[in-house]
Amino acid sequence: SLVYNWESEINKFAPDLSVLTIIGDKKRREKLIRESESYHVLLTSYDLLKRDIEEFEKINFEYVIIDEAQYIKNATTQVSTAVKKLTAKHRFALTGTPIENRLSDLYSIFDFVMPGYLADYGTFKEKYEAPIVLKNDEEALDRFKKIVTPFILRRKKEEVLKDLPPKMENVIYVNMTKEQQELYDARVNALRMELSGKGEKEFREDRLKVLAELTRIRQICCNPDICYENYHGGSGKMDTCIELIENAIEGEHRILVFSQFVQMLTRIKEELQKRGINVLMLSGKNTKEERRNMVDEFQSEKIPVFLISLKAGGTGLNLTAADIVIHFDPWWNGAVQNQATDRAHRIGQIRTLTVMKLVAKKT
């Protein structure tokens, strides 16, 4: 889906470059690749590159540039393997989160940019990852910084975007309704009792079940009716979110709302529509064309609210028409949430951005 975003940005900022977007079915993509020699820039997605790698391997590129490079953070995936098969004189990796979860994320990106520079993974783990992560070895960290820093051009926003307006972040604590709190407490206590009876081995074996239960508890904090069909006890977080949106629209603000749960976004959409508020909603079910049309519609300031699934729209979109971002529920990894916020806090933003993170009290 980001391919279209790149296409429009290149056309906007470098209209003298000819761009070929390689998408569509297998037959069409093969034809496009065969006829691609006269174009300056070829655009494709990681998923399509993986499927078309045999065709792409035949091309000698001047540059290969990978965007959102954290997609290749796991060196063993098919995507990582495909990207590293490309032939190029120069390689660049662009990312706002070079280390999303662990130090090996950066190893995999370096393995693309400069194959062999950090040796094989076993050596890297022994020499740097284990001492730095497990032992907090300052000397190993300093050594590691010295060898990678010359090849990382790090730019903080305040350095390159002197005119970017400030970003104000607020955590808004919300009281759950009585029924919601009772349901939450019951579920948490049941999980605590279950875990207290398990040994370490049992816990490891059941960890996916525990994760699923934690996710269910998170859903209760959002709105219990997304996991309980017959629940009618309301949601403190839902009420607060709707109130914030209504107040923001009265003040002529434009709002992005992120949630990891598509069902939750659907509930918010239904509630806003009941109140006569126009709203867009983007999830993994939307086609690339639909995504592009929705972004254009929001950016043209026709619709005040854009509900976005964190996984589907947390990266690559340019939504500077918004000046308020609401994170309805916190994601496991803060870096992912920050990436989502940056859909609005980027070049082109002219207003102060207000970021609101909704958190249920006593949870």
Side-chain angles (χ1 to χ4, degrees):
S1 58
L2 309 192
V3 167
Y4 286 120
N5 192 55
W6 268 101
E7 184 183 40
S8 62
E9 297 288 301
I10 292 171
N11 289 335
K12 182 177 172 184
F13 290 104
D16 53 321
L17 292 180
S18 55
V19 182
L20 180 64
T21 305
I22 298 170
I23 49 171
D25 59 39
K26 180 75 175 171
K27 202 171 177 182
R28 181 173 185 269
R29 298 197 309 269
E30 284 177 358
K31 183 174 182 288
L32 289 172
I33 295 168
R34 282 197 303 272
E35 297 168 357
S36 65
E37 203 171 320
S38 59
Y39 290 84
H40 291 118
V41 183
L42 310 189
L43 290 173
T44 193
S45 70
Y46 286 108
D47 185 50
L48 295 179
L49 175 75
K50 177 182 73 180
R51 299 185 211 176
D52 300 336
I53 190 59
E54 286 181 13
E55 298 296 322
F56 279 111
E57 271 186 291
K58 298 170 188 172
I59 304 173
N60 290 318
F61 292 99
E62 192 72 26
Y63 296 90
V64 169
I65 302 167
I66 62 168
D67 187 26
E68 304 294 352
Q70 69 273 14
Y71 276 90
I72 67 160
K73 66 187 177 188
N74 185 340
T76 60
T77 60
Q78 288 180 321
V79 166
S80 290
T81 306
V83 167
K84 291 167 189 179
K85 283 181 179 177
L86 295 169
T87 304
K89 287 184 185 176
H90 309 283
R91 297 176 175 210
F92 288 90
L94 314 179
T95 175
T97 46
I99 300 175
E100 213 171 50
N101 296 313
R102 51 184 71 83
L103 202 57
S104 58
D105 296 357
L106 191 59
Y107 171 83
S108 184
I109 295 171
F110 258 86
D111 192 39
F112 159 72
V113 177
M114 302 169 68
Y117 181 67
L118 295 180
D120 61 273
Y121 178 63
T123 305
F124 169 80
K125 189 174 182 181
E126 184 186 334
K127 202 171 175 183
Y128 299 110
E129 190 174 28
I132 292 167
V133 177
L134 301 177
K135 300 174 186 172
N136 292 320
D137 186 329
E138 291 288 336
E139 190 187 334
L141 181 59
D142 286 341
R143 277 201 325 272
F144 182 64
K145 281 181 181 175
K146 278 175 186 168
I147 66 166
V148 298
T149 301
F151 306 103
I152 298 176
L153 184 64
R154 188 179 184 209
R155 284 290 178 265
K156 293 183 180 176
K157 278 186 180 170
E158 55 267 28
E159 292 169 356
V160 291
L161 305 178
K162 301 292 184 191
D163 300 324
L164 194 65
K167 177 173 68 174
M168 297 166 61
E169 298 195 63
N170 306 304
V171 176
I172 296 174
Y173 291 98
V174 176
N175 285 313
M176 292 196 282
T177 65
K178 183 171 177 288
E179 293 90 335
Q180 191 179 10
Q181 187 73 56
E182 285 171 358
L183 198 54
Y184 174 87
D185 291 340
R187 200 90 193 205
V188 167
N189 289 335
L191 181 58
R192 279 202 176 119
M193 283 183 68
E194 190 182 340
L195 291 176
S196 65
K198 289 183 188 293
E200 192 178 333
K201 183 172 180 290
E202 290 172 299
F203 178 75
R204 277 203 307 272
E205 288 169 355
D206 289 350
R207 65 185 185 279
L208 289 178
K209 185 181 166 192
V210 173
L211 186 64
E213 189 60 24
L214 284 172
T215 301
R216 185 58 56 92
I217 288 167
R218 288 158 73 91
Q219 289 176 323
I220 291 170
C221 294
C222 292
N223 192 343
D225 77 355
I226 64 177
C227 49
Y228 289 98
E229 274 184 36
N230 300 317
Y231 176 83
H232 301 291
S235 160
K237 200 182 261 199
M238 177 80 160
D239 295 342
T240 301
C241 183
I242 298 297
E243 189 183 333
L244 287 171
I245 291 171
E246 286 187 316
N247 290 340
I249 290 171
E250 276 181 34
E252 297 187 347
H253 296 283
R254 303 173 54 69
I255 309 109
L256 302 180
V257 181
F258 289 99
S259 173
Q260 64 183 293
F261 303 114
V262 175
Q263 309 102 298
M264 192 64 240
L265 294 175
T266 303
R267 297 288 191 284
I268 297 170
K269 180 182 176 182
E270 289 166 355
E271 191 57 42
L272 291 173
Q273 286 177 331
K274 275 185 206 167
R275 294 163 191 243
I277 295 170
N278 288 330
V279 59
L280 293 164
M281 180 174 150
L282 188 156
S283 71
K285 292 176 182 173
N286 294 110
T287 65
K288 291 165 185 165
E289 288 81 2
E290 286 170 343
R291 287 168 68 100
R292 180 162 63 172
N293 292 339
M294 280 193 275
V295 169
D296 290 346
E297 200 171 355
F298 185 76
Q299 286 294 88
S300 66
E301 307 203 357
K302 292 175 185 169
I303 293 180
V305 185
F306 202 166
L307 308 175
I308 303 175
S309 158
L310 196 65
K311 292 301 279 182
T315 55
L317 300 178
N318 191 344
L319 297 167
T320 49
D323 62 337
I324 290 178
V325 173
I326 298 174
H327 288 286
F328 193 85
D329 42 88
W331 183 245
W332 306 101
N333 184 332
V336 174
Q337 254 181 277
N338 293 338
Q339 280 263 34
T341 297
D342 286 348
R343 299 313 95 221
H345 198 238
R346 60 202 296 118
I347 293 173
Q349 181 56 267
I350 56 172
R351 293 170 288 185
T352 296
L353 186 72
T354 304
V355 183
M356 304 180 192
K357 299 174 180 178
L358 306 187
V359 177
K361 261 187 191 176
K362 300 178 186 174
T363 67

